[in-house]
Amino acid sequence: MNDEEIRALVAGQLRKIAPEIDVGQIDPAIDLREQVDFDSMDILNLAVAIHEATGVDIPEADYPQMVSLNGCVGYLRSRLK
């Protein structure tokens, strides 16, 4: 998967978790918790959804790497090779 495919996958999972979010308005570099009022449970739900969509195991210790869209893409890029 390339970065755009990963970004689309993550955006799709974000839409499932919080359909009210306009994913197109998200700044990929800024923490989701600040932009769309995500809390730790939302980040957990995102990690679980990404795991289910990709099969990539995401340990809880790695959740801080996945708090932004860019963070999710970078994290998954290294694990989907």
Side-chain angles (χ1 to χ4, degrees), residues 7 14 25-38 43 64-72:
R7 189 175 311 278
L14 281 169
Q25 297 299 315
I26 291 176
D27 183 328
I30 296 178
D31 191 322
L32 291 166
R33 296 171 294 184
E34 295 173 12
Q35 291 186 81
V36 294
D37 200 30
F38 263 28
I43 297 296
Q65 297 176 52
M66 301 187 68
V67 296
S68 71
L69 189 53
N70 284 348
C72 289

Side-chain angles (χ1 to χ4, degrees), residues 3-25:
D3 283 3
E4 287 307 311
E5 292 169 327
I6 295 170
R7 189 175 311 278
L9 181 140
V10 173
Q13 300 311 311
L14 281 169
R15 283 186 199 96
K16 288 180 184 177
I17 293 167
E20 72 280 1
I21 293 173
D22 182 355
V23 177
Q25 297 299 315

Side-chain angles (χ1 to χ4, degrees), residues 32-67:
L32 291 166
R33 296 171 294 184
E34 295 173 12
Q35 291 186 81
V36 294
D37 200 30
F38 263 28
D39 60 21
S40 58
M41 283 303 297
D42 293 315
I43 297 296
L44 169 66
N45 290 335
L46 178 60
V48 169
I50 290 171
H51 166 73
E52 289 174 353
T54 64
V56 173
D57 287 322
I58 306 169
E60 187 175 347
D62 291 349
Y63 291 176
Q65 297 176 52
M66 301 187 68
V67 296

